[in-house]
């Protein structure tokens, strides 16, 4: 059983090697990279490629590690006891299983995605050390120990918003997804738009990579934004000549809202275009 990419996901050799190494070592795979480089999609495609169920735990700034294990609803139990509800005698009725419990409980091996782990509190990764290492945890309310029936394939993503603890990193197999080079990007575009004209792709990639090279850009356009931009170019039937005969005095590309995500970057391109016009006078 090994991952080699799918028809919908272009995986480089080093990425497929990282996935398979993590599976062999039975370690969580920690994936970092620029936003939009396909970290979350990787887990989806690994699950599809290996024929496994995907369980997704999307982390927020308010997420606590305990929520991944279980949550005990003491308030509902108190209310039911006041109302004389019979189910109050079984504490299990008030325990809600978390995503880790769901993954551990599965009779078949699953892929567990812990998405954007760096969004949570700095203690969040440390609070999951034992559970991810030993694949078990203790439920204090019922006195039972939950162990994984089949060790899940764990994929953890991070956008590098904050440093992760050394103890957590030690338990993971790490891979950084480099931003795709031009050849890889062409393959990605071909997967999404198999019928697109090659000349249009070449000119669009020229614009895209030129944008990424601009110094001072606050948010460089990502792979997913290139795909959105191409989709708009095709939907609006933008003439290829607009990209072919780019006027350097008009630095902002058509439908730029798919590529540029803040006003600072738009103003930066406008200033560059203004400076180019002045130099040409």
């Amino acid at each position: 059983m090994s991952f080699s990419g799918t028809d919908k996901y272009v995986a480089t050799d080093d990425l497929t090697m990282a996935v398979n190494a993590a599976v062999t070592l039975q370690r969580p795979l920690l994936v970092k990279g620029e936003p939009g480089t396909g970290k979350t999609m990787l887990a989806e495609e690994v699950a599809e490629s290996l024929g496994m169920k995907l369980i997704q735990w999307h982390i927020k700034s308010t997420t606590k590690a305990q929520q991944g294990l279980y949550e005990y609803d003491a308030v509902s139990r108190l209310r039911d006891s006041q109302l004389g509800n019979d189910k109050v005698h079984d504490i299990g009725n008030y325990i809600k299983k978390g995503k880790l419990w769901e993954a551990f409980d599965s009779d078949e091996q699953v892929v567990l995605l812990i998405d954007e782990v760096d969004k949570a509190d700095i203690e969040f990764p440390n609070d999951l050390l034992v559970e991810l290492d030993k694949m078990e945890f203790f439920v204090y309310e019922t006195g039972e120990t939950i162990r994984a029936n089949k060790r899940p394939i764990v994929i953890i993503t991070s956008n590098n918003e904050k440093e992760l603890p050394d103890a957590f990193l030690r338990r993971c197999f790490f891979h950084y997804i480099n931003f795709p080079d031009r050849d890889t990007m062409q393959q990605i575009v071909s997967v999404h738009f198999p019928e697109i004209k090659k000349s249009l792709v070449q000119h669009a990639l020229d614009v895209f990579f030129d944008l990424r090279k601009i110094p001072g850009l606050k948010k460089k356009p990502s792979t997913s934004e290139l795909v959105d931009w191409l989709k708009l170019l095709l939907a609006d039937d933008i003439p290829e000549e607009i990209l072919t005969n780019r006027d350097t005095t008009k630095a902002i590309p058509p439908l730029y809202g798919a590529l540029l995500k803040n006003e600072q970057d738009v103003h930066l391109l406008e200033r560059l275009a203004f400076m180019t016009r002045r130099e040409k006078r």
Side-chain angles (χ1 to χ4, degrees):
M1 182 179 65
S2 62
F3 173 69
S4 58
T6 66
D7 293 338
K8 297 184 295 182
Y9 190 88
V10 177
T12 58
D13 291 341
D14 58 341
L15 178 55
T16 57
M17 191 181 299
V19 172
N20 293 321
V23 172
T24 301
L25 291 172
Q26 296 189 328
R27 297 272 189 182
L29 173 63
L30 174 61
V31 184
K32 291 186 179 183
E34 284 186 34
T37 49
K39 299 185 296 296
T40 302
M41 189 180 294
L42 172 65
E44 298 169 359
E45 298 307 315
V46 168
E48 181 176 327
S49 172
L50 302 180
M52 296 179 182
K53 178 184 176 183
L54 173 66
I55 296 176
Q56 304 185 57
W57 186 16
H58 299 289
I59 308 303
K60 301 177 182 178
S61 60
T62 55
T63 303
K64 301 298 180 185
Q66 181 64 33
Q67 294 171 307
L69 308 179
Y70 68 92
E71 292 182 274
Y72 170 52
D73 191 350
V75 175
S76 291
R77 192 180 186 206
L78 175 62
R79 184 185 64 241
D80 287 345
S81 68
Q82 292 170 340
L83 296 174
N85 195 321
D86 285 341
K87 76 174 189 177
V88 75
H89 301 295
D90 183 0
I91 197 170
N93 291 324
Y94 303 94
I95 291 179
K96 179 183 176 183
K97 295 180 181 180
K99 296 297 183 180
L100 263 74
W101 191 335
E102 186 182 339
F104 289 3
D105 224 17
S106 176
D107 292 328
E108 298 180 350
Q109 190 176 28
V110 301
V111 175
L112 172 64
L113 169 64
I114 304 178
D115 199 26
E116 298 189 332
V117 68
D118 53 326
K119 277 188 175 180
D121 185 86
I122 189 62
E123 291 304 320
F124 178 90
N126 280 334
D127 291 343
L128 290 177
L129 288 180
V130 175
E131 289 77 10
L132 291 177
D133 200 16
K134 295 187 176 181
M135 287 289 153
E136 65 178 43
F137 62 89
F138 186 72
V139 182
Y140 293 95
E141 288 77 8
T142 62
E144 61 182 325
T145 298
I146 305 300
R147 294 184 178 89
N149 294 324
K150 298 279 187 178
R151 191 180 189 97
I153 296 173
V154 182
I155 297 178
I156 304 170
T157 71
S158 169
N159 286 327
N160 255 348
E161 290 184 10
K162 63 170 69 81
E163 287 296 320
L164 298 174
D166 289 343
F168 178 78
L169 295 174
R170 185 171 59 80
R171 288 166 169 80
C172 298
F173 188 92
F174 172 74
H175 181 74
Y176 185 87
I177 298 182
N178 290 308
F179 194 83
D181 59 23
R182 192 179 178 104
D183 290 340
T184 305
M185 194 65 84
Q186 278 187 269
Q187 294 179 47
I188 293 171
V189 171
S190 296
V191 166
H192 289 274
F193 309 103
E195 305 295 328
I196 195 171
K197 289 196 298 183
K198 290 184 179 180
S199 56
L200 175 60
V201 174
Q202 293 302 321
H203 298 312
L205 288 179
D206 287 341
V207 174
F208 177 76
F209 280 105
D210 284 348
L211 267 180
R212 285 186 57 86
K213 289 177 187 174
I214 294 175
L217 212 59
K218 186 175 181 181
K219 166 73 173 69
K220 293 181 180 181
S222 68
T223 307
S224 60
E225 286 153 353
L226 171 64
V227 171
D228 287 345
W229 186 51
L230 283 170
K231 190 182 295 184
L232 286 174
L233 291 177
L234 292 172
D236 287 8
D237 200 20
I238 299 293
E240 192 175 327
E241 294 73 28
I242 291 182
L243 299 180
T244 311
N245 304 315
R246 296 198 309 278
D247 185 352
T248 54
T249 63
K250 297 176 180 177
I252 300 182
L255 300 169
Y256 66 86
L259 297 172
L260 303 175
K261 299 300 182 179
N262 58 69
E263 65 277 10
Q264 294 98 317
D265 290 343
V266 175
H267 293 157
L268 174 62
L269 261 64
E270 287 174 342
R271 287 197 300 273
L272 290 173
F274 174 72
M275 290 168 63
T276 303
R277 286 197 298 271
R278 286 186 61 181
E279 290 171 2
K280 286 194 170 186
R281 287 176 184 172

Coordinates of all heavy atoms in Angstrom, one line a residue, residues 140-177:
Y140 N -12.0 10.0 31.7 CA -12.1 10.1 33.1 C -13.5 9.9 33.6 O -13.7 9.2 34.7 CB -11.6 11.4 33.6 CG -10.1 11.6 33.4 CD1 -9.6 12.3 32.3 CD2 -9.2 11.1 34.3 CE1 -8.2 12.4 32.1 CE2 -7.8 11.2 34.1 CZ -7.3 11.9 33.0 OH -6.0 12.0 32.8
E141 N -14.5 10.3 32.9 CA -15.9 10.2 33.3 C -16.4 8.8 33.3 O -17.2 8.4 34.2 CB -16.8 11.1 32.4 CG -16.6 12.6 32.6 CD -15.4 13.1 31.9 OE1 -14.7 12.4 31.2 OE2 -15.1 14.3 32.1
T142 N -15.9 8.0 32.4 CA -16.4 6.6 32.4 C -15.3 5.6 32.8 O -15.6 4.4 33.0 CB -16.7 6.2 30.9 OG1 -15.6 6.3 30.1 CG2 -17.8 7.1 30.4
G143 N -14.1 6.0 33.0 CA -13.0 5.2 33.5 C -12.5 4.2 32.4 O -11.8 3.2 32.8
E144 N -12.7 4.4 31.2 CA -12.3 3.5 30.1 C -11.1 4.1 29.3 O -11.0 5.4 29.2 CB -13.5 3.2 29.1 CG -14.0 4.4 28.4 CD -15.2 4.1 27.5 OE1 -15.2 3.0 26.9 OE2 -16.1 4.9 27.4
T145 N -10.3 3.3 28.8 CA -9.2 3.7 27.9 C -9.6 3.4 26.4 O -10.0 2.2 26.1 CB -7.9 2.9 28.3 OG1 -7.6 3.3 29.6 CG2 -6.8 3.3 27.3
I146 N -9.5 4.4 25.6 CA -9.9 4.2 24.2 C -8.6 4.0 23.4 O -7.7 4.8 23.4 CB -10.6 5.5 23.6 CG1 -11.8 5.8 24.5 CG2 -11.0 5.3 22.2 CD1 -12.9 4.7 24.5
R147 N -8.5 2.9 22.7 CA -7.3 2.6 21.9 C -7.7 2.4 20.5 O -8.9 2.0 20.2 CB -6.7 1.2 22.4 CG -6.1 1.3 23.8 CD -5.4 0.0 24.2 NE -4.8 0.1 25.5 CZ -5.4 -0.2 26.6 NH1 -6.6 -0.6 26.6 NH2 -4.8 -0.1 27.8
A148 N -6.8 2.8 19.6 CA -7.1 2.7 18.1 C -7.2 1.3 17.7 O -6.3 0.5 18.0 CB -6.0 3.4 17.3
N149 N -8.4 1.0 17.0 CA -8.5 -0.4 16.5 C -7.5 -0.6 15.3 O -6.9 -1.6 15.2 CB -9.9 -0.6 15.9 CG -11.0 -0.6 17.1 OD1 -10.7 -1.0 18.2 ND2 -12.1 0.0 16.8
K150 N -7.4 0.4 14.5 CA -6.4 0.4 13.4 C -5.7 1.8 13.4 O -6.4 2.8 13.4 CB -7.1 0.3 12.0 CG -7.8 -1.0 11.8 CD -6.9 -2.2 11.5 CE -7.7 -3.4 11.1 NZ -6.8 -4.5 10.7
R151 N -4.4 1.8 13.5 CA -3.7 3.0 13.6 C -3.9 3.9 12.4 O -3.7 3.5 11.2 CB -2.2 2.8 13.7 CG -1.4 4.0 14.1 CD 0.1 3.7 14.2 NE 0.9 4.8 14.7 CZ 1.2 5.0 16.0 NH1 0.9 4.0 16.8 NH2 1.8 6.1 16.4
P152 N -4.5 5.1 12.5 CA -4.9 5.9 11.4 C -3.6 6.6 10.8 O -2.6 6.7 11.4 CB -5.8 7.0 12.0 CG -5.4 7.1 13.4 CD -5.0 5.7 13.8
I153 N -3.7 6.9 9.5 CA -2.7 7.7 8.9 C -2.9 9.1 9.2 O -4.0 9.7 8.8 CB -2.7 7.5 7.3 CG1 -2.3 6.0 7.0 CG2 -1.7 8.4 6.6 CD1 -2.4 5.6 5.5
V154 N -2.1 9.8 9.9 CA -2.3 11.1 10.4 C -1.5 12.1 9.6 O -0.3 12.0 9.5 CB -1.9 11.3 11.9 CG1 -2.2 12.7 12.4 CG2 -2.6 10.2 12.8
I155 N -2.2 13.1 9.0 CA -1.6 14.2 8.3 C -1.9 15.5 8.9 O -3.1 15.8 9.2 CB -2.1 14.2 6.8 CG1 -1.7 12.9 6.1 CG2 -1.5 15.4 6.0 CD1 -2.1 12.8 4.7
I156 N -0.9 16.2 9.3 CA -1.0 17.5 10.0 C -0.5 18.6 9.2 O 0.6 18.5 8.7 CB -0.3 17.5 11.4 CG1 -0.7 16.3 12.2 CG2 -0.4 18.8 12.2 CD1 0.1 16.0 13.5
T157 N -1.3 19.7 9.0 CA -0.8 20.8 8.1 C -0.5 22.0 9.0 O -1.1 22.2 10.1 CB -1.8 21.1 7.1 OG1 -3.0 21.8 7.7 CG2 -2.3 19.9 6.3
S158 N 0.4 22.8 8.5 CA 0.7 24.1 9.2 C 1.1 25.1 8.2 O 1.8 24.8 7.2 CB 1.9 23.8 10.2 OG 2.4 25.1 10.6
N159 N 0.7 26.4 8.4 CA 1.0 27.5 7.6 C 2.2 28.3 8.1 O 2.5 29.4 7.7 CB -0.2 28.4 7.4 CG -1.2 27.8 6.4 OD1 -0.9 27.1 5.5 ND2 -2.5 28.1 6.7
N160 N 2.9 27.7 9.1 CA 4.0 28.4 9.7 C 3.7 29.7 10.4 O 4.5 30.6 10.5 CB 5.1 28.6 8.7 CG 6.3 27.7 8.8 OD1 6.4 27.0 9.8 ND2 7.1 27.7 7.8
E161 N 2.5 29.8 10.9 CA 2.1 31.0 11.6 C 2.8 31.1 13.0 O 3.0 32.2 13.5 CB 0.6 31.1 11.8 CG -0.2 31.3 10.5 CD -1.7 31.5 10.7 OE1 -2.1 31.6 11.9 OE2 -2.4 31.5 9.7
K162 N 3.1 30.0 13.6 CA 3.9 30.0 14.8 C 4.7 28.7 14.9 O 4.5 27.7 14.2 CB 3.0 30.1 16.0 CG 2.0 29.0 16.2 CD 1.4 29.0 17.6 CE 0.4 30.2 17.7 NZ -0.9 29.9 17.2
E163 N 5.8 28.8 15.7 CA 6.7 27.6 15.8 C 6.0 26.5 16.6 O 5.3 26.8 17.6 CB 8.0 28.1 16.6 CG 8.9 28.9 15.7 CD 9.5 28.2 14.5 OE1 9.8 27.0 14.7 OE2 9.6 28.8 13.4
L164 N 6.3 25.3 16.2 CA 5.7 24.2 16.9 C 6.7 23.6 17.9 O 7.9 23.7 17.7 CB 5.3 23.1 15.9 CG 4.2 23.5 14.9 CD1 4.0 22.4 13.9 CD2 2.9 23.9 15.6
P165 N 6.3 23.0 19.1 CA 7.2 22.6 20.1 C 8.1 21.4 19.6 O 7.7 20.6 18.8 CB 6.2 22.0 21.2 CG 4.9 22.7 20.9 CD 4.8 22.9 19.4
D166 N 9.3 21.4 20.1 CA 10.3 20.4 19.7 C 9.8 19.0 20.0 O 10.0 18.1 19.2 CB 11.6 20.6 20.4 CG 12.4 21.9 19.8 OD1 12.0 22.3 18.7 OD2 13.3 22.3 20.5
A167 N 9.2 18.8 21.1 CA 8.7 17.4 21.5 C 7.7 16.9 20.5 O 7.6 15.7 20.2 CB 8.1 17.5 22.9
F168 N 6.9 17.9 20.0 CA 5.8 17.5 18.9 C 6.5 17.2 17.6 O 6.2 16.2 17.0 CB 4.9 18.7 18.8 CG 3.8 18.4 17.8 CD1 2.7 17.6 18.0 CD2 3.9 19.1 16.5 CE1 1.7 17.4 17.1 CE2 2.9 18.9 15.6 CZ 1.8 18.0 15.8
L169 N 7.5 18.0 17.2 CA 8.2 17.8 16.0 C 8.9 16.5 15.9 O 9.0 15.8 14.9 CB 9.2 19.0 15.7 CG 8.5 20.4 15.5 CD1 9.6 21.4 15.4 CD2 7.7 20.4 14.3
R170 N 9.5 16.1 17.1 CA 10.2 14.9 17.2 C 9.4 13.7 16.8 O 9.9 12.6 16.3 CB 10.8 14.7 18.6 CG 11.7 13.6 18.8 CD 12.4 13.6 20.1 NE 11.5 13.6 21.2 CZ 10.9 12.5 21.7 NH1 11.2 11.3 21.1 NH2 10.1 12.6 22.8
R171 N 8.1 13.7 17.1 CA 7.2 12.6 16.8 C 6.6 12.6 15.4 O 5.8 11.7 15.1 CB 6.1 12.6 17.9 CG 6.5 12.3 19.3 CD 5.5 12.6 20.3 NE 5.8 12.0 21.6 CZ 6.6 12.5 22.5 NH1 7.3 13.6 22.2 NH2 6.8 11.9 23.7
C172 N 7.0 13.6 14.6 CA 6.4 13.7 13.3 C 7.5 13.4 12.2 O 8.7 13.5 12.4 CB 5.8 15.1 13.0 SG 4.5 15.5 14.1
F173 N 7.0 13.0 11.0 CA 7.8 13.0 9.8 C 7.5 14.3 9.1 O 6.3 14.6 8.8 CB 7.5 11.8 8.9 CG 8.5 11.7 7.8 CD1 9.7 10.9 7.9 CD2 8.3 12.3 6.6 CE1 10.6 10.8 6.9 CE2 9.2 12.2 5.5 CZ 10.4 11.5 5.7
F174 N 8.5 15.1 8.8 CA 8.3 16.5 8.3 C 8.5 16.6 6.8 O 9.4 15.9 6.3 CB 9.2 17.4 9.0 CG 9.2 18.8 8.4 CD1 8.2 19.7 8.7 CD2 10.3 19.3 7.6 CE1 8.2 21.0 8.1 CE2 10.3 20.5 7.1 CZ 9.2 21.4 7.4
H175 N 7.7 17.3 6.2 CA 7.9 17.6 4.7 C 7.4 19.1 4.5 O 6.3 19.5 4.9 CB 7.1 16.7 3.8 CG 7.4 17.0 2.4 ND1 8.6 16.7 1.7 CD2 6.6 17.6 1.4 CE1 8.5 17.0 0.5 NE2 7.3 17.6 0.3
Y176 N 8.3 19.8 3.7 CA 7.9 21.2 3.3 C 7.6 21.1 1.8 O 8.4 20.7 1.0 CB 9.0 22.2 3.6 CG 8.7 23.6 3.2 CD1 8.0 24.4 4.2 CD2 8.9 24.1 2.0 CE1 7.7 25.7 3.9 CE2 8.5 25.4 1.7 CZ 7.9 26.2 2.6 OH 7.6 27.5 2.3
I177 N 6.4 21.5 1.5 CA 6.0 21.6 0.0 C 6.5 22.9 -0.6 O 6.0 24.0 -0.3 CB 4.4 21.5 -0.1 CG1 3.9 20.2 0.4 CG2 4.1 21.6 -1.6 CD1 2.4 20.0 0.3

